[in-house]
Amino acid sequence: MSPAEQNDIDNHLDENINSRFNNNNDEKLAAFNNDENLAVLDISAADSIDDEILESFYNREKLLKVMMATLEHIDERINHGLTLPYFADIDSEIWQERTKALDIYITDTVEGQELNLEARGKDYATNILSYPSDLPAAIIGLMPTLPLGELVICHAVVVREATEQNKTVAQHISHLLIHGILHLLGFDHELGQAEQDEMESFEIAILAELGLPNPYL
């Protein structure tokens, strides 16, 4: 895939996501972006990640829309009986009413390898690491903003995987963001086939709502 072709596809991706939210979610997007909600999505990066990469691939507004789509889908599932493993002790109404906070940190392969070794005992840089908030339910329930935790994304790995899987980088980032948020909620595909199928079904459905293809085909 040439750079021009990838750029065209990424532009189409942005149009799909913008259309999805601009049609009927202007008020929700405004709420996420107003002064009282600036902490909802905090994006930071290692010094080795330049501003061009951040602006091109980790634009806050674009990632915020993917985050919103994920949380909206989960809220709908909660209405039909879904329990969030890491937030099972939080009343569902409190969960749905409170603003959620997410931290994203973009890093390089050197630090990514160090963090993966420390967190999972695996000596290589992986695409995304999830660090749940791990706060007691009694404390979280009193907080005006519910902290989901932190996602660490290794950009070089994401770019490599996107090329290997014949996807655009933007598509792969959208999928990984959804995947990471689900991990922060307590879903874990490594526990067994049933858990993997459940998690993948969420990801496929959320991506479809954003006008993005099934990443497992």
Side-chain angles (χ1 to χ4, degrees):
M1 182 183 299
S2 69
E5 290 172 329
Q6 173 156 320
N7 186 59
D8 288 342
I9 293 174
D10 284 348
N11 288 337
H12 182 61
L13 167 64
D14 293 342
E15 290 171 1
N16 282 341
I17 294 177
N18 287 333
S19 175
R20 157 79 167 90
F21 281 92
N22 290 340
N23 287 341
N24 55 17
N25 286 278
D26 288 341
E27 292 183 1
K28 291 181 181 179
L29 181 57
F32 269 77
N33 278 320
N34 68 27
D35 290 342
E36 296 180 356
N37 289 285
L38 289 177
V40 169
L41 180 57
D42 183 59
I43 301 172
S44 59
D47 292 340
S48 57
I49 305 298
D50 63 44
D51 291 342
E52 184 177 355
I53 288 176
L54 291 177
E55 180 58 33
S56 298
F57 299 107
Y58 302 98
N59 176 274
R60 182 177 180 276
E61 183 174 326
K62 294 176 183 178
L63 297 191
L64 194 57
K65 291 173 181 177
V66 177
M67 177 183 174
M68 289 170 60
T70 305
L71 294 175
E72 287 178 15
H73 184 84
I74 291 301
D75 278 352
E76 183 62 28
R77 294 293 185 108
I78 289 174
N79 291 336
H80 290 85
L82 177 69
T83 298
L84 305 181
Y86 287 168
F87 295 90
D89 294 331
I90 304 296
D91 182 86
S92 61
E93 290 188 6
I94 292 177
W95 165 267
Q96 292 177 316
E97 291 173 357
R98 301 283 174 85
T99 299
K100 317 299 188 303
L102 173 65
D103 293 322
I104 296 177
Y105 176 69
I106 317 302
T107 191
D108 54 35
T109 54
V110 174
E111 185 177 29
Q113 182 173 351
E114 294 173 352
L115 292 173
N116 197 28
L117 181 60
E118 177 184 328
R120 302 168 65 227
K122 299 185 177 183
D123 195 15
Y124 58 85
T126 191
N127 49 25
I128 190 167
L129 290 169
S130 303
Y131 296 87
S133 62
D134 285 336
L135 292 174
I139 294 177
I140 292 178
L142 298 175
M143 301 175 73
T145 299
L146 300 184
L148 300 181
E150 181 181 26
L151 299 176
V152 176
I153 298 174
C154 183
H155 180 69
V157 174
V158 172
V159 171
R160 189 194 74 226
E161 290 180 343
T163 301
E164 293 171 348
Q165 299 171 23
N166 197 31
K167 302 174 183 176
T168 71
V169 175
Q171 283 178 322
H172 198 33
I173 290 172
S174 294
H175 178 209
L176 289 175
L177 178 55
I178 295 167
H179 183 85
I181 292 174
L182 291 175
H183 271 309
L184 295 179
L185 300 181
F187 299 102
D188 190 348
H189 55 90
E190 295 185 352
L191 294 178
Q193 190 61 50
E195 289 81 1
Q196 178 178 328
D197 291 344
E198 177 185 48
M199 195 166 171
E200 289 182 1
S201 72
F202 292 159
E203 295 168 9
I204 292 167
I206 296 165
L207 287 166
E209 291 171 4
L210 291 167
L212 301 178
N214 181 342
Y216 297 105
L217 294 178

